[in-house]
Amino acid sequence: MKDKQPKPNAEPLEHSSLSRRNFLGASAVTGAALVGATALGGSLMTRESWAAAVKESRQKIHVVPGELDEYYGFWSGGHQGEVRVLGIPSMRELMRIPVFNVDSATGWGLTNESRHIMGDSARYLNGDCHHPHISMTDGKYDGKYLFINDKANSRVARIRLDIMKCDKMLTIPNVQAIHGLRLQKVPHTRYVFANAEFIIPHPNDGANFDLQSDSAYTLFNVIDAEKMEMAFQVIVDGNLDNTDADYTGRFAAATCYNSEKAFDLGGMMRNERDWVVVFDIPAIEAAVKAGKFTTLGDSTVPVVDGRKKGDKDSAFTRYIPVPKNPHGCNTSSDGKYFIANGKLSPTVSMIEIAKLPDLFADKLKDPRDTIAAEVELGLGPLHTTFDGRGNAYTTLFIDSQVVKWNMADAVRAYNGEKVNYIRQKLDVQYQPGHLHASLTETSEADGKWLVALCKFSKDRFLQVGPLHPENDQLIDISGEEMKLVHDGPTFAEPHDCILARRDQIRTKKIWDRDDPFFAPTVEMAKKDGITLEADNKVIRDGNRVRVYMTSSAPTYGVQEFTVRQGDEVTVVVTNIDEIEDVSHGFVMTNHGVSMEISPQQTSSITFVADKPGMHWYYCSWFCHALHMEMVGRMLVEPA
Ligand code: CUK
Ligand code: CUA
Ligand code: CA
C-alpha cells in the first residue's frame, strides 16, 4: 500500500535513478550514432575553484530588493496563448501580455478594444504561441514591436512594446499552423517571415485528400510588419518548420522535416535527407511587383511558386539537403551561417551565407557546396544560440545537455584538421528545446546569459500533480565555462524566449489620450457628443445603451444607471487619474464583465442586461484605501 503513496517532495534529487539517456528511448533517434566528444565540464578547473565560480555567478543573479534587472526577457506562453515578461537575471515574472487567450484581469478578449484588434479570430478562445521576436533596425533591437505566432489558429500577432499590449492580429490565409517565425534583421524589420507547417490541398474543399498531388502544398508567408498585412506567399516543396533571416537583408531560410509530404511518422522519416529551403526575398518582391503572381481562393494575397520543377530550381528558392528531419534554424550572430539543427541526426549543418548568391546564380554545382561544416554534437540537437565570441550553444534534447562549441574550430575539424571544437557539455534538467543567449539573434550578441527551456522538470520542484511545470534554466556564459545558476518553473510550454537589454525597451508610464489602442471607442464617443475625460452620461439608442463614465480613485463618475431587461449595454470607462500605477477595473457581477482601465486609458465592454433587478459593479484593481467602496449599481427594469 505504501508504494501507492505519492513520492515525497523531500527526496533528494541525487537519488533519482532516471537515466536521461534512457529517457524517451534511443529508438527515437533512428540511425543516430553516439558522438565521441566528451564533456569538459569541471576539467579546466579544480573542484574548489569551480565551486567558487558557481557561487560567484549565483550571487550575480540575486537582484536585491529595489534593484532592477539588466535584461528584459520575453517568453512565449505556449498553448496558454500569452506572452510573459521576465526580468533577467532574477527570472522574476514582471508582466503577462494576453494575446491569443482570454484574460479576466485585463479583459483581453472581452473588451471591445481587444475584440476589435482580434477581428474575426476573436471567436477563438485558444492559441499556441512559440516564437517571440523583437523588431530590428540594422540588425539590432529597436524595441518597437514584438511579434508572435499562433500555431493553433494560424495567426501572427504584434505587441507594441511601449504599452506592452497586443495591437494587431492577422490570420494567415490559405494555410494551416503558423509555426516558425522570424523577422527581417536588415535594413530593418520590414517583413515578418512565418512558416505554415502543415501541407494541405488547394483548394481545401474536400474534393482532394491526396498529399502527394501537385495541388497539395504549404506556403512561406511574408507579412508587412508595419501594416500587419500579408505582403506575399511562396509555395514550397515539403513542409516548413523553423526559419531565420540573414544580416544582408536578402535571404531567409527555413527547415523542412517532411520533404516526403507524408502524413504519418514512418513516412516523415523515410528520406535520409530533408532540406533547408532558402528564399531570395528581393527576387520574390520583383516578381510580385511585375505582376507575376497568382492568388488562391478568395484571398488576394500575391502567391509565387517556389517549388522545383523536376530538376529545375525556381528563381525564388534553393533547397539545400541536410540530414533527416532538421528542426531549429538559427543565423549566427556574426552573420556567417544559417545553422540547421539535426534533431534525428547528431549534427548541425552550417550553411555559409556568403555562398548563397553563387548558389542562386547557378555558379555552384551542388547546393551541398554551401555547407561549411556538418558538426557532430550529440543526440537530438534542436536549437542553437551564440555568444558573439565565436561560440555556439546547442540544445541536445535526448542527451539533456547544452553543448558549447566553437564555430571556427568546427569548420576546421570538418575540413580534416585535428582540433576539438567542443568546449563544454553541461547537463540541464531535463530535455531542453529552445535556448537563447542574451541578444543572440542580433549583431550585438553579448555572451552574458543563456536560458535553456527544458521541456521536463520531473523532480526539480515541489510536486504539483500529474501536470508538471517546465524548467527554464538560467546559465551564466560570461566566462570560459557555462554555469547553471537558476531553475525557473514555467507553465504550459513557453517554447522560446528572447532577451533584450533594458535600455532597448522604452515603455509609457501612463496612456496618451490619443493612443490608437482605444481610438475606435473615442470615435464612437465623438458620434455620441461625449467628452470622455469629463462626461458621465447614459445614451440610449433603441435597445442599445451606452454608459459613459470617468473613474478617479476611489469613485466612478456614474454610480447608478437604469436600463431595460434585454438592452445591449456598453460601458465605457475613462480613467482620469494621472498617477502612475493607479489602475482601475470594472466588473459587472454575474455578467461575465471584467476589464482594466489604467491611468488615462479608455476601456469599453458590451453585454446584454438579461436579468431584471439590481446589479452591483465594482473596481477590481486595487487603487485606494477605499477601493472596496469603489462601486455602483445597474438597475434593470423588467421587460
Ligand atoms: S519549437 Cu515550436 S515545436 Cu523547437 Cu521553436 Cu517546440
Ligand atoms: Cu478603482 Cu480599485
Ligand atoms: Ca523527413
PDB file of all heavy atoms in Angstrom, residues 553-554 583-585 619-624 627 630, ligand 2:
ATOM      1  N   ALA A 553      -9.809  57.476  -8.463  1.00  0.00           N
ATOM      2  CA  ALA A 553      -9.792  56.762  -7.183  1.00  0.00           C
ATOM      3  C   ALA A 553     -10.415  57.586  -6.071  1.00  0.00           C
ATOM      4  O   ALA A 553     -10.005  58.732  -5.886  1.00  0.00           O
ATOM      5  CB  ALA A 553      -8.353  56.404  -6.807  1.00  0.00           C
ATOM      6  N   PRO A 554     -11.378  57.071  -5.302  1.00  0.00           N
ATOM      7  CA  PRO A 554     -11.987  55.748  -5.417  1.00  0.00           C
ATOM      8  C   PRO A 554     -13.445  55.811  -5.878  1.00  0.00           C
ATOM      9  O   PRO A 554     -14.308  55.196  -5.252  1.00  0.00           O
ATOM     10  CB  PRO A 554     -11.907  55.248  -3.961  1.00  0.00           C
ATOM     11  CG  PRO A 554     -12.145  56.519  -3.147  1.00  0.00           C
ATOM     12  CD  PRO A 554     -11.716  57.688  -3.990  1.00  0.00           C
ATOM     13  N   SER A 583      -4.333  51.924 -11.525  1.00  0.00           N
ATOM     14  CA  SER A 583      -5.262  51.341 -12.495  1.00  0.00           C
ATOM     15  C   SER A 583      -6.566  51.041 -11.788  1.00  0.00           C
ATOM     16  O   SER A 583      -6.569  50.686 -10.613  1.00  0.00           O
ATOM     17  CB  SER A 583      -4.694  50.042 -13.065  1.00  0.00           C
ATOM     18  OG  SER A 583      -3.521  50.297 -13.800  1.00  0.00           O
ATOM     19  N   HIS A 584      -7.664  51.206 -12.520  1.00  0.00           N
ATOM     20  CA  HIS A 584      -8.956  50.771 -12.010  1.00  0.00           C
ATOM     21  C   HIS A 584      -9.427  49.585 -12.820  1.00  0.00           C
ATOM     22  O   HIS A 584      -8.856  49.252 -13.869  1.00  0.00           O
ATOM     23  CB  HIS A 584      -9.998  51.893 -12.119  1.00  0.00           C
ATOM     24  CG  HIS A 584      -9.667  53.087 -11.302  1.00  0.00           C
ATOM     25  ND1 HIS A 584      -9.706  53.081  -9.931  1.00  0.00           N
ATOM     26  CD2 HIS A 584      -9.275  54.334 -11.661  1.00  0.00           C
ATOM     27  CE1 HIS A 584      -9.348  54.280  -9.482  1.00  0.00           C
ATOM     28  NE2 HIS A 584      -9.086  55.054 -10.516  1.00  0.00           N
ATOM     29  N   GLY A 585     -10.482  48.963 -12.325  1.00  0.00           N
ATOM     30  CA  GLY A 585     -11.120  47.894 -13.065  1.00  0.00           C
ATOM     31  C   GLY A 585     -12.607  48.158 -13.134  1.00  0.00           C
ATOM     32  O   GLY A 585     -13.125  49.071 -12.467  1.00  0.00           O
ATOM     33  N   CYS A 619     -14.837  47.999  -8.706  1.00  0.00           N
ATOM     34  CA  CYS A 619     -13.472  48.145  -9.219  1.00  0.00           C
ATOM     35  C   CYS A 619     -12.646  46.934  -8.792  1.00  0.00           C
ATOM     36  O   CYS A 619     -12.657  46.542  -7.631  1.00  0.00           O
ATOM     37  CB  CYS A 619     -12.855  49.433  -8.680  1.00  0.00           C
ATOM     38  SG  CYS A 619     -11.122  49.633  -9.143  1.00  0.00           S
ATOM     39  N   SER A 620     -11.969  46.319  -9.759  1.00  0.00           N
ATOM     40  CA  SER A 620     -11.255  45.070  -9.494  1.00  0.00           C
ATOM     41  C   SER A 620      -9.744  45.248  -9.324  1.00  0.00           C
ATOM     42  O   SER A 620      -9.058  44.317  -8.930  1.00  0.00           O
ATOM     43  CB  SER A 620     -11.522  44.086 -10.632  1.00  0.00           C
ATOM     44  OG  SER A 620     -11.302  44.722 -11.874  1.00  0.00           O
ATOM     45  N   TRP A 621      -9.211  46.401  -9.641  1.00  0.00           N
ATOM     46  CA  TRP A 621      -7.768  46.620  -9.449  1.00  0.00           C
ATOM     47  C   TRP A 621      -7.583  47.512  -8.233  1.00  0.00           C
ATOM     48  O   TRP A 621      -8.132  48.614  -8.174  1.00  0.00           O
ATOM     49  CB  TRP A 621      -7.146  47.266 -10.690  1.00  0.00           C
ATOM     50  CG  TRP A 621      -6.962  46.304 -11.830  1.00  0.00           C
ATOM     51  CD1 TRP A 621      -7.870  46.010 -12.793  1.00  0.00           C
ATOM     52  CD2 TRP A 621      -5.800  45.505 -12.107  1.00  0.00           C
ATOM     53  NE1 TRP A 621      -7.353  45.069 -13.660  1.00  0.00           N
ATOM     54  CE2 TRP A 621      -6.079  44.745 -13.268  1.00  0.00           C
ATOM     55  CE3 TRP A 621      -4.556  45.350 -11.493  1.00  0.00           C
ATOM     56  CZ2 TRP A 621      -5.162  43.857 -13.825  1.00  0.00           C
ATOM     57  CZ3 TRP A 621      -3.641  44.467 -12.059  1.00  0.00           C
ATOM     58  CH2 TRP A 621      -3.942  43.726 -13.198  1.00  0.00           C
ATOM     59  N   PHE A 622      -6.786  47.065  -7.285  1.00  0.00           N
ATOM     60  CA  PHE A 622      -6.648  47.801  -6.024  1.00  0.00           C
ATOM     61  C   PHE A 622      -6.053  49.179  -6.279  1.00  0.00           C
ATOM     62  O   PHE A 622      -4.953  49.319  -6.778  1.00  0.00           O
ATOM     63  CB  PHE A 622      -5.791  47.028  -5.021  1.00  0.00           C
ATOM     64  CG  PHE A 622      -6.110  47.425  -3.615  1.00  0.00           C
ATOM     65  CD1 PHE A 622      -6.903  46.623  -2.815  1.00  0.00           C
ATOM     66  CD2 PHE A 622      -5.666  48.638  -3.118  1.00  0.00           C
ATOM     67  CE1 PHE A 622      -7.226  47.019  -1.523  1.00  0.00           C
ATOM     68  CE2 PHE A 622      -5.993  49.040  -1.833  1.00  0.00           C
ATOM     69  CZ  PHE A 622      -6.772  48.239  -1.030  1.00  0.00           C
ATOM     70  N   CYS A 623      -6.825  50.227  -5.928  1.00  0.00           N
ATOM     71  CA  CYS A 623      -6.455  51.573  -6.355  1.00  0.00           C
ATOM     72  C   CYS A 623      -6.394  52.572  -5.217  1.00  0.00           C
ATOM     73  O   CYS A 623      -5.911  53.690  -5.394  1.00  0.00           O
ATOM     74  CB  CYS A 623      -7.471  52.059  -7.393  1.00  0.00           C
ATOM     75  SG  CYS A 623      -9.170  51.998  -6.793  1.00  0.00           S
ATOM     76  N   HIS A 624      -6.864  52.216  -4.025  1.00  0.00           N
ATOM     77  CA  HIS A 624      -7.073  53.237  -2.996  1.00  0.00           C
ATOM     78  C   HIS A 624      -7.417  52.522  -1.703  1.00  0.00           C
ATOM     79  O   HIS A 624      -7.863  51.367  -1.737  1.00  0.00           O
ATOM     80  CB  HIS A 624      -8.255  54.132  -3.444  1.00  0.00           C
ATOM     81  CG  HIS A 624      -8.406  55.408  -2.681  1.00  0.00           C
ATOM     82  ND1 HIS A 624      -9.090  55.485  -1.503  1.00  0.00           N
ATOM     83  CD2 HIS A 624      -7.958  56.676  -2.953  1.00  0.00           C
ATOM     84  CE1 HIS A 624      -9.068  56.745  -1.071  1.00  0.00           C
ATOM     85  NE2 HIS A 624      -8.386  57.477  -1.932  1.00  0.00           N
ATOM     86  N   HIS A 627     -10.793  51.309  -2.035  1.00  0.00           N
ATOM     87  CA  HIS A 627     -11.009  50.533  -3.264  1.00  0.00           C
ATOM     88  C   HIS A 627     -12.269  49.674  -3.182  1.00  0.00           C
ATOM     89  O   HIS A 627     -13.044  49.589  -4.139  1.00  0.00           O
ATOM     90  CB  HIS A 627      -9.760  49.668  -3.495  1.00  0.00           C
ATOM     91  CG  HIS A 627      -9.954  48.451  -4.323  1.00  0.00           C
ATOM     92  ND1 HIS A 627     -10.066  48.488  -5.693  1.00  0.00           N
ATOM     93  CD2 HIS A 627     -10.034  47.144  -3.984  1.00  0.00           C
ATOM     94  CE1 HIS A 627     -10.199  47.247  -6.150  1.00  0.00           C
ATOM     95  NE2 HIS A 627     -10.184  46.422  -5.145  1.00  0.00           N
ATOM     96  N   MET A 630     -15.357  51.456  -4.132  1.00  0.00           N
ATOM     97  CA  MET A 630     -15.487  51.965  -5.499  1.00  0.00           C
ATOM     98  C   MET A 630     -16.467  51.060  -6.239  1.00  0.00           C
ATOM     99  O   MET A 630     -16.089  50.064  -6.852  1.00  0.00           O
ATOM    100  CB  MET A 630     -14.119  52.002  -6.194  1.00  0.00           C
ATOM    101  CG  MET A 630     -14.155  52.684  -7.559  1.00  0.00           C
ATOM    102  SD  MET A 630     -12.510  53.137  -8.136  1.00  0.00           S
ATOM    103  CE  MET A 630     -12.921  53.619  -9.817  1.00  0.00           C
TER     104      MET A 630
HETATM  105 CU1  CUA B   2     -10.528  51.758  -8.507  1.00  0.00          CU
HETATM  106 CU2  CUA B   2      -9.955  49.875  -7.255  1.00  0.00          CU
END
